């Protein structure tokens, strides 16, 4: 067992966990933040994406102990009193259907926009589609997801 401490959504969090505990399990089981989903258990679907020290990470691929001292943001932590522009854009454009992939898509979208804007690069439809290759949605053809991310990019 290992004591793991980090800041999650701006709040200090600490727990005694087995060494093999994945970050996604720490978030869901120890912190009861269930917006981060477990989809495939093979790191291919992207439903478990969170931000660790400002970068998108598939939390099913990272041990909780590896996030020791890190700043972690989950879907529950992106809104500050009102919806984040990415959340609002997904709502405006019906960028979700069943909603299972939505938290990971939103977290990936925020990271994508932040990286492209920081690099001064254009985030067009082709770039959004390329960036989303690590996220799987089983309900849609991604059209509304792409529209959602494009809208949010113009607002962020």
């Amino acid at each position: 067992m290992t004591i793991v401490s980090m800041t999650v959504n701006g709040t200090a969090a600490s727990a005694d966990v087995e060494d093999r505990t994945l970050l996604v399990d720490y978030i869901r089981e120890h912190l009861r933040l269930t917006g981060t989903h477990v989809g495939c258990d093979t790191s291919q679907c992207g439903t478990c994406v969170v931000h660790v020290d400002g970068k998108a990470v598939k939390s099913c691929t990272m041990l909780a102990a590896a996030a020791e001292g890190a700043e972690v943001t989950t879907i529950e932590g992106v809104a500050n009193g009102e919806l984040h522009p990415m959340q609002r854009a997904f709502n405006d454009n019906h960028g979700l259907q069943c909603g299972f992939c939505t938290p990971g898509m939103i977290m990936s979208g925020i990271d994508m926009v932040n990286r492209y804007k920081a690099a001064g690069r254009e985030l067009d439809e082709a770039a959004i589609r390329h960036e989303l290759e690590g996220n799987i949605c089983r309900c849609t053809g991604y059209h509304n997801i792409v529209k959602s991310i494009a809208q949010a990019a113009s607002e962020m």
Side-chain angles (χ1 to χ4, degrees):
M1 299 290 273
T2 302
I3 296 176
V4 177
S5 300
M6 62 190 76
T7 302
V8 180
N9 301 331
T11 302
S14 184
D16 197 14
V17 299
E18 288 186 38
D19 294 338
R20 62 187 176 142
T21 301
L22 295 172
L23 181 57
V24 69
D25 295 324
Y26 177 80
I27 290 167
R28 290 181 58 82
E29 295 171 16
H30 293 277
L31 303 180
R32 300 287 182 222
L33 297 171
T34 57
T36 302
H37 294 157
V38 178
C40 65
D41 282 329
T42 61
S43 77
Q44 295 184 26
C45 74
T47 63
C48 67
V49 173
V50 298
H51 296 171
V52 177
D53 291 331
K55 296 182 182 182
V57 172
K58 290 182 178 178
S59 60
C60 75
T61 65
M62 183 176 192
L63 293 173
E68 174 68 31
E71 295 272 341
V72 177
T73 305
T74 69
I75 190 68
E76 292 91 346
V78 299
N80 292 322
E82 61 182 48
L83 292 178
H84 184 280
M86 189 67 69
Q87 291 172 306
R88 192 172 48 256
F90 267 72
N91 183 59
D92 292 350
N93 293 286
H94 288 302
L96 57 111
Q97 286 191 12
C98 80
F100 192 78
C101 73
T102 305
M105 290 284 188
I106 288 172
M107 298 304 285
S108 293
I110 292 168
D111 177 70
M112 180 190 317
V113 171
N114 289 341
R115 284 186 293 107
Y116 273 71
K117 287 198 180 258
R121 293 172 40 208
E122 179 70 25
L123 188 58
D124 59 12
E125 181 179 345
I128 293 169
R129 287 184 180 278
H130 175 74
E131 289 280 339
L132 286 178
E133 286 181 1
N135 294 74
I136 296 174
C137 177
R138 289 172 173 86
C139 296
T140 74
Y142 297 90
H143 301 297
N144 292 342
I145 292 169
V146 172
K147 280 196 251 181
S148 300
I149 294 171
Q151 176 184 317
S154 70
E155 297 173 4
M156 287 172 62

